[in-house]
Amino acid sequence: MKNFTLFLFVVFHISLAQAQYKPVIFDYNKSLFDEGNPLPAETFFMLQGEVPADVDLVSASLLAKDGEELLYKGVWKRAAGDQGNTFQIPVSYRLRSNDEYSFRINYFKEVDQESSNKFQEQLHGYLDGYIDQTIQIEKNRIRLNEPVSRIMDNLNDIVNRSSAYYDNKSNITFQGFSDLVKKSLQNIRNTPLSEGRFTVFKRKDDSNRDVKIKYAQDQITQLKELVKSEVNTLTSTNLLTVYDSKYISKYATEKVNKPLTVNVGYGATYLSGDINSFSYDSAPYVGIAFPLGNGAFNSKFISRTTLSAGVFLGNFRNAEDQRITGPVVGLPIYAALGYPIFEFVRLNAGATLLQNSAAAPDGLNFQQVTVRPFVGISADINLWIGLGRNRRMK
């Protein structure tokens, strides 16, 4: 009982250790990870580094090798009362083995009220300017120079680009302008400026043209105010801005060695006959198995399913007691898909290449080769070449 309890204790702690994030130390001065060693591949890791006391937030952006595509972004935020000098950012993204990635690490400080107001005014100015360029007042209508969908995209892009170097402590992100803005644009586009429409609002001294222009300008002003009110949900927060940034280009990952998996098992092959009376034979087999996917990136089902190929270690006998061999190697050859039913035990199903030795006594004769189904059960044996993981750096 003691030994069994000890066994459970060891298994529990091994599982716990595997579930933890591997620490990776970032050296700010050298712009290196783990003293220049490659980053861990096919596992999550914890990015750690030093941070000044006046920095409130650190973001780490994992980018593709060329630095263009954002793959993952993690953030560390200083908790209230925290005076520490270390940040920790869990990177829940598995890097591919023997590859390269780029990183951008930004350090944020709090923005004072004057700078926050200036940023808000600047952003409002960009949005107003774009709306003025996009909407044109004509004789009897208001014309949009671009489709509504493109205007919405461009407005969102202005906000996102302007706030690229800002963040906040409240986890508030700009989700894009609402359907209210979209509806307002559609209404402006569909509103005619016909003379009869404004007769009731016209004063003696007003011309029809003046009334139309005033009405159109009021519609545009309402749109601008709506746009500003929605973007103010972002600018009215406790803004932080980037005061320092580190860019690490094309940093290498470790090379993960994969085991060579050998299947050793026993299977039965159908030879002839129908469901009521059929002939089959069985023999042990051995082969090489390859997973259909990588467990770090593919689903559990795909990564545990294998494609294997090999030979049976004995020939078969059919119902007429004829010896059934296989082409090329003189033994039945098989190919199969397999899936584990226990930790190291795999169920295989596939096909065998067979040849009747009596029909082809002189060797290979493809006209006599037949394909027959088989099922089997096998054990996996993983053969490792070398120890641990190879590391490389350019």
Side-chain angles (χ1 to χ4, degrees):
M1 187 65 182
K2 273 187 177 181
N3 291 336
F4 181 70
T5 304
L6 179 61
F7 172 76
L8 291 179
F9 178 80
V10 171
V11 169
F12 171 77
H13 281 275
I14 290 176
S15 301
L16 187 63
Q18 290 176 342
Q20 292 176 344
Y21 285 59
K22 181 178 180 179
V24 172
I25 308 300
F26 175 65
D27 189 317
Y28 174 90
N29 294 322
K30 298 178 181 177
S31 294
L32 292 177
F33 299 101
D34 281 348
E35 293 296 328
N37 287 316
L39 291 166
E42 301 185 4
T43 184
F44 296 159
F45 59 94
M46 183 72 72
L47 185 62
Q48 302 177 2
E50 293 185 359
V51 59
D54 56 348
V55 167
D56 294 291
L57 186 144
V58 178
S59 71
S61 297
L62 170 63
L63 309 167
K65 180 165 56 176
D66 57 9
E68 296 294 328
E69 182 186 0
L70 176 64
L71 304 176
Y72 180 85
K73 183 177 180 180
V75 172
W76 169 87
K77 188 195 311 181
R78 187 180 296 279
D82 179 15
Q83 299 296 322
N85 62 350
T86 303
F87 72 83
Q88 291 187 328
I89 300 177
V91 180
S92 302
Y93 186 96
R94 293 182 173 90
L95 307 182
R96 294 193 176 274
S97 168
N98 200 32
D99 206 342
E100 292 178 337
Y101 295 85
S102 296
F103 285 81
R104 182 174 296 281
I105 301 176
N106 289 332
Y107 300 80
F108 292 79
K109 287 184 178 180
E110 190 169 354
V111 177
D112 59 44
Q113 192 59 50
E114 182 181 351
S115 299
S116 181
N117 293 339
K118 184 177 179 181
F119 167 66
Q120 186 181 70
E121 291 172 7
Q122 215 171 35
L123 181 54
H124 287 175
Y126 294 150
L127 294 168
D128 284 349
Y130 174 73
I131 291 173
D132 288 336
Q133 292 176 7
T134 304
I135 300 177
Q136 184 176 345
I137 302 174
E138 296 185 342
K139 183 177 180 181
N140 289 316
R141 71 185 182 111
I142 304 175
R143 185 166 72 88
L144 302 182
N145 295 329
E146 295 179 321
V148 171
S149 59
R150 187 176 300 170
I151 295 174
M152 293 290 291
D153 289 341
N154 290 339
L155 287 171
N156 291 333
D157 191 51
I158 289 171
V159 177
N160 290 328
R161 285 179 179 273
S162 300
S163 58
Y165 293 98
Y166 289 87
D167 212 311
N168 60 82
K169 294 182 179 180
S170 308
N171 291 330
I172 294 175
T173 57
F174 181 68
Q175 302 295 327
F177 289 103
S178 70
D179 287 341
L180 290 174
V181 175
K182 183 177 181 181
K183 185 67 174 176
S184 180
L185 285 165
Q186 291 170 340
N187 289 340
I188 288 175
R189 181 189 61 186
N190 296 325
T191 300
L193 299 179
S194 56
E195 293 183 11
R197 177 182 178 87
F198 304 102
T199 303
V200 69
F201 304 106
K202 184 178 176 184
R203 296 179 304 182
K204 271 188 176 182
D205 297 334
D206 291 337
S207 67
N208 287 331
R209 180 62 179 164
D210 291 339
V211 174
K212 290 179 186 179
I213 292 175
K214 185 177 185 308
Y215 175 79
Q217 289 174 340
D218 287 344
Q219 299 300 304
I220 296 171
T221 299
Q222 290 176 24
L223 171 64
K224 289 180 177 180
E225 293 303 316
L226 178 59
V227 166
K228 292 174 185 176
S229 68
E230 292 196 1
V231 81
N232 283 349
T233 59
L234 175 67
T235 59
S236 61
T237 60
N238 293 327
L239 286 177
L240 307 170
T241 188
V242 176
Y243 100 99
D244 196 6
S245 182
K246 284 284 188 175
Y247 180 71
I248 302 94
S249 177
K250 298 181 180 179
Y251 203 92
T253 63
E254 64 187 355
K255 182 179 180 181
V256 179
N257 292 325
K258 300 296 182 181
L260 179 66
T261 302
V262 177
N263 274 152
V264 179
Y266 196 86
T269 298
Y270 163 80
L271 299 175
S272 62
D274 55 27
I275 193 169
N276 295 317
S277 176
F278 65 91
S279 172
Y280 73 94
D281 202 358
S282 58
Y285 61 84
V286 62
I288 305 297
F290 305 92
L292 293 186
N294 189 323
F297 308 106
N298 300 109
S299 68
K300 183 178 179 180
F301 177 80
I302 293 296
S303 59
R304 299 189 73 188
T305 302
T306 57
L307 175 64
S308 60
V311 298
F312 282 87
L313 300 180
N315 293 312
F316 299 134
R317 292 280 176 176
N318 61 15
E320 290 77 31
D321 201 32
Q322 296 174 325
R323 189 165 65 94
I324 306 298
T325 66
V328 183
V329 296
L331 289 169
I333 301 172
Y334 77 88
L337 290 174
Y339 194 80
I341 52 178
F342 299 109
E343 186 64 27
F344 302 107
V345 180
R346 188 174 298 274
L347 181 66
N348 298 288
T352 56
L353 288 179
L354 303 175
Q355 181 175 292
N356 190 322
S357 61
D362 298 327
L364 179 62
N365 183 349
F366 281 108
Q367 293 182 345
Q368 299 297 327
V369 173
T370 58
V371 179
R372 293 290 185 266
F374 96 98
V375 293
I377 193 166
S378 65
D380 291 343
I381 302 175
N382 291 332
L383 302 179
W384 293 87
I385 301 175
L387 297 175
R389 297 181 173 186
N390 291 336
R391 294 176 173 267
R392 64 135 182 135
M393 278 290 291
K394 282 190 174 182

